[in-house]
Amino acid sequence: MTDIPAFFAAGAALGASAGFSPGPLLTLVMAQTLAHGPREGVKVAMAPLLTDIPMLAASLLALSFVQDRPAILGALSLAGAAVVAFYGWECLRARPLSLPDIRVAPGSLKKGVIANFLNPHPYVFWATVGAPATLAAARSPGGLAAAAAFLGGFYLCLVGAKVCAALVTGRFRAFLGSRGYALLMRLLGLALFAFAALFVRDAGQFFGLVP
């Protein structure tokens, strides 16, 4: 991944898979939509824009202390490959969703922020995948523009996927319980396996096994 479009594509694939994958935040998006309409579901979808900043900052700070240690960076790349491959496997195993039949009070953005802060997946993602990829993008020929492309692609598709889930739940709720949703998740899973392979290649370069 050495150019801006590639980093944007990587961020977009990771963001879309995270956005559409079943989890606490997606469930809350659908619950708020069913209880109070798509507008409240969209508010929940915006939560990662608030919660992920400290996670990314802390991960980048930690990486700054090991940036001159190829062995550690190689191990992180392998960990990132494992995480991305696991996300890909989860996408391949995804089934049509059952919409939650619950009623919750408004306060959607607050609930979304709390749910995302208590969810361990974002912490694991930024520590092993997101921050290393952002740093790699910044060090590529594209520089800060490549890093911005990765983060832009990620958040565009992460938040966009959850916004779509809110709108679909409100208007075309049957889609989330259809085979079309399962097919979409399988396509995203295959894309994630491809990116996991790129992280393995990066690990090989850090270990001096790949030119």
Side-chain angles (χ1 to χ4, degrees), residues 144-168:
L144 292 179
F150 174 80
L151 293 174
F154 178 78
Y155 281 110
L156 176 66
C157 290
L158 173 68
V159 175
K162 295 193 185 300
V163 168
C164 286
L167 298 178
V168 167

Side-chain angles (χ1 to χ4, degrees), residues 52-64 126 131:
D52 284 16
I53 293 175
M55 300 178 197
L56 173 60
S59 298
L60 288 174
L61 180 62
L63 281 176
S64 68
W126 286 112

Side-chain angles (χ1 to χ4, degrees), residues 80-157:
V83 169
V84 173
F86 175 73
Y87 290 162
W89 176 245
E90 284 194 324
C91 287
L92 292 179
R93 296 175 62 245
R95 297 292 183 268
L97 296 177
S98 297
L99 298 183
D101 186 20
I102 59 177
R103 293 295 180 264
V104 285
S108 300
L109 183 58
K110 178 181 177 181
K111 291 177 182 296
V113 167
I114 293 173
N116 215 41
F117 265 132
L118 297 179
N119 183 3
H121 288 123
Y123 297 94
V124 174
F125 170 80
W126 286 112
T128 61
V129 181
T134 303
L135 191 60
R139 291 175 173 173
S140 74
L144 292 179
F150 174 80
L151 293 174
F154 178 78
Y155 281 110
L156 176 66
C157 290

